[in-house]
PDB file of all heavy atoms in Angstrom:
ATOM      1  N   LYS A   9     -23.038  25.908  -1.267  1.00  0.00           N
ATOM      2  CA  LYS A   9     -22.208  25.116  -2.164  1.00  0.00           C
ATOM      3  C   LYS A   9     -22.759  23.698  -2.245  1.00  0.00           C
ATOM      4  O   LYS A   9     -23.309  23.172  -1.282  1.00  0.00           O
ATOM      5  CB  LYS A   9     -20.752  25.069  -1.670  1.00  0.00           C
ATOM      6  CG  LYS A   9     -20.071  26.426  -1.587  1.00  0.00           C
ATOM      7  CD  LYS A   9     -19.890  27.038  -2.956  1.00  0.00           C
ATOM      8  CE  LYS A   9     -19.210  28.393  -2.872  1.00  0.00           C
ATOM      9  NZ  LYS A   9     -19.053  29.021  -4.210  1.00  0.00           N
ATOM     10  N   LYS A  10     -22.601  23.082  -3.403  1.00  0.00           N
ATOM     11  CA  LYS A  10     -22.982  21.694  -3.595  1.00  0.00           C
ATOM     12  C   LYS A  10     -21.749  20.817  -3.346  1.00  0.00           C
ATOM     13  O   LYS A  10     -20.722  20.986  -4.005  1.00  0.00           O
ATOM     14  CB  LYS A  10     -23.511  21.449  -5.005  1.00  0.00           C
ATOM     15  CG  LYS A  10     -24.763  22.238  -5.341  1.00  0.00           C
ATOM     16  CD  LYS A  10     -25.965  21.724  -4.565  1.00  0.00           C
ATOM     17  CE  LYS A  10     -27.244  22.428  -5.007  1.00  0.00           C
ATOM     18  NZ  LYS A  10     -28.424  21.960  -4.257  1.00  0.00           N
ATOM     19  N   LEU A  11     -21.882  19.885  -2.380  1.00  0.00           N
ATOM     20  CA  LEU A  11     -20.782  18.997  -2.048  1.00  0.00           C
ATOM     21  C   LEU A  11     -21.149  17.565  -2.434  1.00  0.00           C
ATOM     22  O   LEU A  11     -22.287  17.137  -2.238  1.00  0.00           O
ATOM     23  CB  LEU A  11     -20.466  19.040  -0.556  1.00  0.00           C
ATOM     24  CG  LEU A  11     -20.168  20.397   0.080  1.00  0.00           C
ATOM     25  CD1 LEU A  11     -19.798  20.206   1.545  1.00  0.00           C
ATOM     26  CD2 LEU A  11     -19.059  21.112  -0.662  1.00  0.00           C
ATOM     27  N   ASN A  12     -20.176  16.847  -2.963  1.00  0.00           N
ATOM     28  CA  ASN A  12     -20.327  15.411  -3.215  1.00  0.00           C
ATOM     29  C   ASN A  12     -19.554  14.667  -2.130  1.00  0.00           C
ATOM     30  O   ASN A  12     -18.317  14.684  -2.116  1.00  0.00           O
ATOM     31  CB  ASN A  12     -19.797  15.040  -4.601  1.00  0.00           C
ATOM     32  CG  ASN A  12     -20.643  15.636  -5.714  1.00  0.00           C
ATOM     33  OD1 ASN A  12     -21.866  15.619  -5.644  1.00  0.00           O
ATOM     34  ND2 ASN A  12     -19.999  16.147  -6.736  1.00  0.00           N
ATOM     35  N   LEU A  13     -20.286  14.028  -1.208  1.00  0.00           N
ATOM     36  CA  LEU A  13     -19.668  13.312  -0.101  1.00  0.00           C
ATOM     37  C   LEU A  13     -19.358  11.900  -0.551  1.00  0.00           C
ATOM     38  O   LEU A  13     -20.241  11.163  -0.998  1.00  0.00           O
ATOM     39  CB  LEU A  13     -20.605  13.299   1.106  1.00  0.00           C
ATOM     40  CG  LEU A  13     -21.147  14.671   1.549  1.00  0.00           C
ATOM     41  CD1 LEU A  13     -22.007  14.518   2.791  1.00  0.00           C
ATOM     42  CD2 LEU A  13     -19.999  15.651   1.793  1.00  0.00           C
ATOM     43  N   ILE A  14     -18.095  11.509  -0.421  1.00  0.00           N
ATOM     44  CA  ILE A  14     -17.619  10.252  -0.989  1.00  0.00           C
ATOM     45  C   ILE A  14     -17.457   9.216   0.111  1.00  0.00           C
ATOM     46  O   ILE A  14     -16.709   9.417   1.069  1.00  0.00           O
ATOM     47  CB  ILE A  14     -16.276  10.462  -1.713  1.00  0.00           C
ATOM     48  CG1 ILE A  14     -16.412  11.567  -2.773  1.00  0.00           C
ATOM     49  CG2 ILE A  14     -15.790   9.167  -2.341  1.00  0.00           C
ATOM     50  CD1 ILE A  14     -15.096  12.031  -3.344  1.00  0.00           C
ATOM     51  N   SER A  15     -18.177   8.103  -0.020  1.00  0.00           N
ATOM     52  CA  SER A  15     -18.001   6.968   0.884  1.00  0.00           C
ATOM     53  C   SER A  15     -17.405   5.810   0.094  1.00  0.00           C
ATOM     54  O   SER A  15     -17.082   5.964  -1.085  1.00  0.00           O
ATOM     55  CB  SER A  15     -19.337   6.570   1.519  1.00  0.00           C
ATOM     56  OG  SER A  15     -20.274   6.215   0.526  1.00  0.00           O
ATOM     57  N   GLU A  16     -17.263   4.649   0.728  1.00  0.00           N
ATOM     58  CA  GLU A  16     -16.593   3.531   0.076  1.00  0.00           C
ATOM     59  C   GLU A  16     -17.336   3.046  -1.169  1.00  0.00           C
ATOM     60  O   GLU A  16     -16.713   2.625  -2.142  1.00  0.00           O
ATOM     61  CB  GLU A  16     -16.437   2.371   1.060  1.00  0.00           C
ATOM     62  CG  GLU A  16     -15.440   2.667   2.182  1.00  0.00           C
ATOM     63  CD  GLU A  16     -15.236   1.468   3.074  1.00  0.00           C
ATOM     64  OE1 GLU A  16     -15.890   0.424   2.830  1.00  0.00           O
ATOM     65  OE2 GLU A  16     -14.436   1.561   4.016  1.00  0.00           O
ATOM     66  N   ASP A  17     -18.656   3.096  -1.126  1.00  0.00           N
ATOM     67  CA  ASP A  17     -19.411   2.511  -2.234  1.00  0.00           C
ATOM     68  C   ASP A  17     -20.385   3.466  -2.912  1.00  0.00           C
ATOM     69  O   ASP A  17     -21.163   3.041  -3.768  1.00  0.00           O
ATOM     70  CB  ASP A  17     -20.184   1.286  -1.741  1.00  0.00           C
ATOM     71  CG  ASP A  17     -21.061   1.600  -0.531  1.00  0.00           C
ATOM     72  OD1 ASP A  17     -21.041   2.756  -0.089  1.00  0.00           O
ATOM     73  OD2 ASP A  17     -21.747   0.685  -0.041  1.00  0.00           O
ATOM     74  N   SER A  18     -20.366   4.733  -2.537  1.00  0.00           N
ATOM     75  CA  SER A  18     -21.312   5.659  -3.164  1.00  0.00           C
ATOM     76  C   SER A  18     -20.848   7.100  -2.978  1.00  0.00           C
ATOM     77  O   SER A  18     -19.946   7.395  -2.194  1.00  0.00           O
ATOM     78  CB  SER A  18     -22.719   5.488  -2.565  1.00  0.00           C
ATOM     79  OG  SER A  18     -22.713   5.843  -1.196  1.00  0.00           O
ATOM     80  N   THR A  19     -21.503   7.988  -3.719  1.00  0.00           N
ATOM     81  CA  THR A  19     -21.279   9.433  -3.591  1.00  0.00           C
ATOM     82  C   THR A  19     -22.622  10.090  -3.345  1.00  0.00           C
ATOM     83  O   THR A  19     -23.579   9.859  -4.079  1.00  0.00           O
ATOM     84  CB  THR A  19     -20.626  10.005  -4.864  1.00  0.00           C
ATOM     85  OG1 THR A  19     -19.352   9.382  -5.061  1.00  0.00           O
ATOM     86  CG2 THR A  19     -20.434  11.507  -4.735  1.00  0.00           C
ATOM     87  N   THR A  20     -22.690  10.915  -2.294  1.00  0.00           N
ATOM     88  CA  THR A  20     -23.938  11.558  -1.898  1.00  0.00           C
ATOM     89  C   THR A  20     -23.823  13.060  -2.103  1.00  0.00           C
ATOM     90  O   THR A  20     -22.903  13.698  -1.588  1.00  0.00           O
ATOM     91  CB  THR A  20     -24.262  11.267  -0.424  1.00  0.00           C
ATOM     92  OG1 THR A  20     -24.286   9.858  -0.216  1.00  0.00           O
ATOM     93  CG2 THR A  20     -25.607  11.870  -0.036  1.00  0.00           C
ATOM     94  N   ALA A  21     -24.758  13.639  -2.866  1.00  0.00           N
ATOM     95  CA  ALA A  21     -24.756  15.077  -3.114  1.00  0.00           C
ATOM     96  C   ALA A  21     -25.573  15.784  -2.036  1.00  0.00           C
ATOM     97  O   ALA A  21     -26.712  15.399  -1.759  1.00  0.00           O
ATOM     98  CB  ALA A  21     -25.340  15.377  -4.487  1.00  0.00           C
ATOM     99  N   VAL A  22     -24.984  16.799  -1.407  1.00  0.00           N
ATOM    100  CA  VAL A  22     -25.678  17.560  -0.377  1.00  0.00           C
ATOM    101  C   VAL A  22     -25.514  19.055  -0.656  1.00  0.00           C
ATOM    102  O   VAL A  22     -24.551  19.486  -1.279  1.00  0.00           O
ATOM    103  CB  VAL A  22     -25.149  17.241   1.045  1.00  0.00           C
ATOM    104  CG1 VAL A  22     -25.267  15.764   1.344  1.00  0.00           C
ATOM    105  CG2 VAL A  22     -23.713  17.697   1.203  1.00  0.00           C
ATOM    106  N   SER A  23     -26.464  19.800  -0.157  1.00  0.00           N
ATOM    107  CA  SER A  23     -26.389  21.251  -0.218  1.00  0.00           C
ATOM    108  C   SER A  23     -25.871  21.756   1.121  1.00  0.00           C
ATOM    109  O   SER A  23     -26.444  21.452   2.162  1.00  0.00           O
ATOM    110  CB  SER A  23     -27.772  21.841  -0.515  1.00  0.00           C
ATOM    111  OG  SER A  23     -27.724  23.246  -0.551  1.00  0.00           O
ATOM    112  N   ALA A  24     -24.770  22.490   1.111  1.00  0.00           N
ATOM    113  CA  ALA A  24     -24.126  22.955   2.341  1.00  0.00           C
ATOM    114  C   ALA A  24     -23.982  24.470   2.315  1.00  0.00           C
ATOM    115  O   ALA A  24     -23.762  25.074   1.257  1.00  0.00           O
ATOM    116  CB  ALA A  24     -22.766  22.300   2.524  1.00  0.00           C
ATOM    117  N   THR A  25     -24.100  25.064   3.494  1.00  0.00           N
ATOM    118  CA  THR A  25     -23.932  26.503   3.644  1.00  0.00           C
ATOM    119  C   THR A  25     -22.563  26.787   4.250  1.00  0.00           C
ATOM    120  O   THR A  25     -22.129  26.082   5.168  1.00  0.00           O
ATOM    121  CB  THR A  25     -25.021  27.089   4.556  1.00  0.00           C
ATOM    122  OG1 THR A  25     -26.300  26.804   3.997  1.00  0.00           O
ATOM    123  CG2 THR A  25     -24.863  28.596   4.705  1.00  0.00           C
ATOM    124  N   ILE A  26     -21.875  27.801   3.745  1.00  0.00           N
ATOM    125  CA  ILE A  26     -20.593  28.187   4.338  1.00  0.00           C
ATOM    126  C   ILE A  26     -20.874  28.852   5.676  1.00  0.00           C
ATOM    127  O   ILE A  26     -21.466  29.933   5.746  1.00  0.00           O
ATOM    128  CB  ILE A  26     -19.814  29.137   3.417  1.00  0.00           C
ATOM    129  CG1 ILE A  26     -19.475  28.423   2.109  1.00  0.00           C
ATOM    130  CG2 ILE A  26     -18.549  29.625   4.101  1.00  0.00           C
ATOM    131  CD1 ILE A  26     -18.724  29.286   1.114  1.00  0.00           C
ATOM    132  N   HIS A  27     -20.476  28.181   6.753  1.00  0.00           N
ATOM    133  CA  HIS A  27     -20.707  28.696   8.106  1.00  0.00           C
ATOM    134  C   HIS A  27     -19.699  29.781   8.456  1.00  0.00           C
ATOM    135  O   HIS A  27     -20.051  30.813   9.038  1.00  0.00           O
ATOM    136  CB  HIS A  27     -20.624  27.545   9.105  1.00  0.00           C
ATOM    137  CG  HIS A  27     -20.811  27.944  10.530  1.00  0.00           C
ATOM    138  ND1 HIS A  27     -19.752  28.309  11.342  1.00  0.00           N
ATOM    139  CD2 HIS A  27     -21.925  28.064  11.287  1.00  0.00           C
ATOM    140  CE1 HIS A  27     -20.211  28.618  12.541  1.00  0.00           C
ATOM    141  NE2 HIS A  27     -21.524  28.478  12.524  1.00  0.00           N
ATOM    142  N   SER A  28     -18.433  29.558   8.110  1.00  0.00           N
ATOM    143  CA  SER A  28     -17.392  30.550   8.392  1.00  0.00           C
ATOM    144  C   SER A  28     -16.203  30.318   7.485  1.00  0.00           C
ATOM    145  O   SER A  28     -15.997  29.214   6.971  1.00  0.00           O
ATOM    146  CB  SER A  28     -16.954  30.478   9.859  1.00  0.00           C
ATOM    147  OG  SER A  28     -16.366  29.220  10.151  1.00  0.00           O
ATOM    148  N   ILE A  29     -15.408  31.381   7.291  1.00  0.00           N
ATOM    149  CA  ILE A  29     -14.185  31.330   6.493  1.00  0.00           C
ATOM    150  C   ILE A  29     -13.068  31.993   7.284  1.00  0.00           C
ATOM    151  O   ILE A  29     -13.230  33.112   7.779  1.00  0.00           O
ATOM    152  CB  ILE A  29     -14.352  32.040   5.132  1.00  0.00           C
ATOM    153  CG1 ILE A  29     -15.416  31.344   4.288  1.00  0.00           C
ATOM    154  CG2 ILE A  29     -13.037  32.070   4.375  1.00  0.00           C
ATOM    155  CD1 ILE A  29     -15.616  31.981   2.929  1.00  0.00           C
ATOM    156  N   THR A  30     -11.934  31.288   7.412  1.00  0.00           N
ATOM    157  CA  THR A  30     -10.776  31.839   8.120  1.00  0.00           C
ATOM    158  C   THR A  30      -9.613  31.885   7.146  1.00  0.00           C
ATOM    159  O   THR A  30      -8.975  30.855   6.873  1.00  0.00           O
ATOM    160  CB  THR A  30     -10.410  30.980   9.341  1.00  0.00           C
ATOM    161  OG1 THR A  30     -11.561  30.810  10.175  1.00  0.00           O
ATOM    162  CG2 THR A  30      -9.286  31.617  10.134  1.00  0.00           C
ATOM    163  N   PRO A  31      -9.295  33.061   6.573  1.00  0.00           N
ATOM    164  CA  PRO A  31      -8.235  33.164   5.562  1.00  0.00           C
ATOM    165  C   PRO A  31      -6.849  32.893   6.157  1.00  0.00           C
ATOM    166  O   PRO A  31      -6.584  33.163   7.328  1.00  0.00           O
ATOM    167  CB  PRO A  31      -8.349  34.618   5.075  1.00  0.00           C
ATOM    168  CG  PRO A  31      -9.706  35.070   5.517  1.00  0.00           C
ATOM    169  CD  PRO A  31      -9.980  34.334   6.787  1.00  0.00           C
ATOM    170  N   GLY A  32      -5.978  32.341   5.313  1.00  0.00           N
ATOM    171  CA  GLY A  32      -4.578  32.147   5.656  1.00  0.00           C
ATOM    172  C   GLY A  32      -3.707  32.557   4.495  1.00  0.00           C
ATOM    173  O   GLY A  32      -4.200  32.936   3.434  1.00  0.00           O
ATOM    174  N   GLU A  33      -2.384  32.484   4.667  1.00  0.00           N
ATOM    175  CA  GLU A  33      -1.476  32.910   3.604  1.00  0.00           C
ATOM    176  C   GLU A  33      -1.614  32.041   2.364  1.00  0.00           C
ATOM    177  O   GLU A  33      -1.744  32.543   1.251  1.00  0.00           O
ATOM    178  CB  GLU A  33      -0.023  32.859   4.108  1.00  0.00           C
ATOM    179  CG  GLU A  33       0.331  34.025   5.017  1.00  0.00           C
ATOM    180  CD  GLU A  33       1.822  34.064   5.282  1.00  0.00           C
ATOM    181  OE1 GLU A  33       2.591  33.495   4.493  1.00  0.00           O
ATOM    182  OE2 GLU A  33       2.206  34.666   6.287  1.00  0.00           O
ATOM    183  N   THR A  34      -1.559  30.743   2.562  1.00  0.00           N
ATOM    184  CA  THR A  34      -1.645  29.820   1.421  1.00  0.00           C
ATOM    185  C   THR A  34      -2.927  28.998   1.439  1.00  0.00           C
ATOM    186  O   THR A  34      -3.395  28.578   0.391  1.00  0.00           O
ATOM    187  CB  THR A  34      -0.441  28.860   1.410  1.00  0.00           C
ATOM    188  OG1 THR A  34      -0.423  28.120   2.634  1.00  0.00           O
ATOM    189  CG2 THR A  34       0.859  29.634   1.269  1.00  0.00           C
ATOM    190  N   GLU A  35      -3.482  28.757   2.631  1.00  0.00           N
ATOM    191  CA  GLU A  35      -4.704  27.961   2.756  1.00  0.00           C
ATOM    192  C   GLU A  35      -5.744  28.710   3.578  1.00  0.00           C
ATOM    193  O   GLU A  35      -5.399  29.462   4.501  1.00  0.00           O
ATOM    194  CB  GLU A  35      -4.414  26.600   3.394  1.00  0.00           C
ATOM    195  CG  GLU A  35      -3.638  25.654   2.496  1.00  0.00           C
ATOM    196  CD  GLU A  35      -3.585  24.254   3.078  1.00  0.00           C
ATOM    197  OE1 GLU A  35      -3.482  24.138   4.319  1.00  0.00           O
ATOM    198  OE2 GLU A  35      -3.667  23.283   2.303  1.00  0.00           O
ATOM    199  N   THR A  36      -6.997  28.479   3.230  1.00  0.00           N
ATOM    200  CA  THR A  36      -8.113  29.088   3.943  1.00  0.00           C
ATOM    201  C   THR A  36      -8.983  27.987   4.548  1.00  0.00           C
ATOM    202  O   THR A  36      -9.334  27.036   3.853  1.00  0.00           O
ATOM    203  CB  THR A  36      -8.959  29.959   2.996  1.00  0.00           C
ATOM    204  OG1 THR A  36      -8.172  31.081   2.569  1.00  0.00           O
ATOM    205  CG2 THR A  36     -10.213  30.478   3.694  1.00  0.00           C
ATOM    206  N   LYS A  37      -9.288  28.137   5.846  1.00  0.00           N
ATOM    207  CA  LYS A  37     -10.161  27.156   6.491  1.00  0.00           C
ATOM    208  C   LYS A  37     -11.613  27.514   6.232  1.00  0.00           C
ATOM    209  O   LYS A  37     -12.042  28.645   6.462  1.00  0.00           O
ATOM    210  CB  LYS A  37      -9.898  27.119   7.999  1.00  0.00           C
ATOM    211  CG  LYS A  37     -10.690  26.011   8.699  1.00  0.00           C
ATOM    212  CD  LYS A  37     -10.406  25.965  10.189  1.00  0.00           C
ATOM    213  CE  LYS A  37     -11.269  26.948  10.944  1.00  0.00           C
ATOM    214  NZ  LYS A  37     -11.177  26.786  12.397  1.00  0.00           N
ATOM    215  N   VAL A  38     -12.372  26.542   5.733  1.00  0.00           N
ATOM    216  CA  VAL A  38     -13.789  26.739   5.438  1.00  0.00           C
ATOM    217  C   VAL A  38     -14.591  25.746   6.263  1.00  0.00           C
ATOM    218  O   VAL A  38     -14.268  24.561   6.301  1.00  0.00           O
ATOM    219  CB  VAL A  38     -14.088  26.551   3.943  1.00  0.00           C
ATOM    220  CG1 VAL A  38     -15.571  26.772   3.659  1.00  0.00           C
ATOM    221  CG2 VAL A  38     -13.234  27.490   3.098  1.00  0.00           C
ATOM    222  N   VAL A  39     -15.634  26.240   6.937  1.00  0.00           N
ATOM    223  CA  VAL A  39     -16.531  25.388   7.704  1.00  0.00           C
ATOM    224  C   VAL A  39     -17.884  25.372   7.000  1.00  0.00           C
ATOM    225  O   VAL A  39     -18.511  26.414   6.820  1.00  0.00           O
ATOM    226  CB  VAL A  39     -16.699  25.883   9.150  1.00  0.00           C
ATOM    227  CG1 VAL A  39     -17.662  24.963   9.914  1.00  0.00           C
ATOM    228  CG2 VAL A  39     -15.351  25.929   9.856  1.00  0.00           C
TER     229      VAL A  39
END
């Protein structure tokens, strides 16, 4: 996935891999 990391004065685009997914009823934890 492509993530835009937001800091106070800039936005940095990074390429990230989904390490793990933990499903929930309403929310899913993604690492």
Side-chain angles (χ1 to χ4, degrees):
K9 299 294 180 181
K10 298 290 186 181
L11 305 183
N12 293 317
L13 308 183
I14 305 169
S15 59
E16 291 184 359
D17 54 359
S18 64
T19 299
T20 305
V22 303
S23 179
T25 301
I26 297 179
H27 179 270
S28 63
I29 297 181
T30 306
E33 283 190 21
T34 59
E35 289 190 323
T36 294
K37 186 179 84 171
V38 180
V39 179

